[in-house]
Amino acid sequence: MGRVRAVLVRPWVVGVLVVAVAAVGLGSYWFQPWKLWQDQTVTEALPGAVETSAVSEPERAGATSPTGSPTPSAPAPAGPETLADGELISHEHTTSGAVKLVRLADGSHVVRLENLDTSNGPDLRVWLTDAPVKEGRAGWHVFDDGKYVSLGRLKGNKGSQNYPLPADVDPAGFSSVSIWCDRFDVSFGAAELTRV
């Protein structure tokens, strides 16, 4: 017992123990391995509500132009329209689900993930990119090579969810969506967008 105590009191042993504890702590923070066993399901409806104007239908129907003739009522805005879609393929982690690029009635755009199923991980993002989707390891690291827009943190690793495009982003310049791990610069899964 005294011999073990003597070894533990040596300065180099204490230093090694401190470094080992610090390495385990930093590794746990960096990799967040517990997330592999934690699922977060998010279920959002596709935004489709059209804002109503302050003028009611009866008032609009009875409106007249300055010449006295009835003013035709404006056509109702169209609902959400799918512009492009695709199926997710697996990269670093097994990933499945559908991706849609949708124009909403107000003219804005969202990327919609439907029936997403992937692993949880640290710092996952949804990226709209111009990179081609490649299968296997060849596709893991290509999405940050060209043009991309981060649409925000992945809300959940399972379910259906919406990611609005910034107003200044033209979706015509992008051809794929990646579930991107920003911490390790790797794609968990991606989908090629095919115009419909």
Side-chain angles (χ1 to χ4, degrees), residues 33-169:
W34 57 86
K35 286 195 169 187
L36 292 174
W37 295 280
Q38 295 176 338
D39 287 330
Q40 185 170 4
T41 302
V42 173
T43 305
E44 294 180 330
L46 178 63
V50 178
E51 290 191 28
T52 57
S53 84
V55 180
S56 69
E57 276 305 316
E59 289 172 338
R60 188 176 296 131
T64 58
S65 69
T67 62
S69 60
T71 304
S73 41
E81 177 185 3
T82 300
L83 303 177
D85 60 11
E87 292 293 320
L88 287 162
I89 65 167
S90 299
H91 281 149
E92 171 73 18
H93 291 263
T94 302
T95 302
S96 64
V99 177
K100 292 182 178 180
L101 175 60
V102 180
R103 181 174 48 225
L104 302 178
D106 64 3
S108 65
H109 295 86
V110 297
V111 166
R112 179 163 173 79
L113 305 178
E114 291 185 338
N115 303 313
L116 173 66
D117 189 359
T118 191
S119 300
N120 207 341
D123 207 13
L124 294 180
R125 308 287 173 146
V126 176
W127 278 14
L128 183 63
T129 81
D130 68 349
V133 176
K134 300 176 183 176
E135 293 195 24
R137 290 183 66 94
W140 289 16
H141 302 283
V142 300
F143 297 100
D144 59 350
D145 294 343
K147 184 169 65 169
Y148 64 88
V149 175
S150 178
L151 302 179
R153 288 190 180 274
L154 186 69
K155 298 172 185 177
N157 63 308
K158 295 186 181 298
S160 297
Q161 46 214 266
N162 306 302
Y163 296 87
L165 272 64
D168 61 344
V169 172

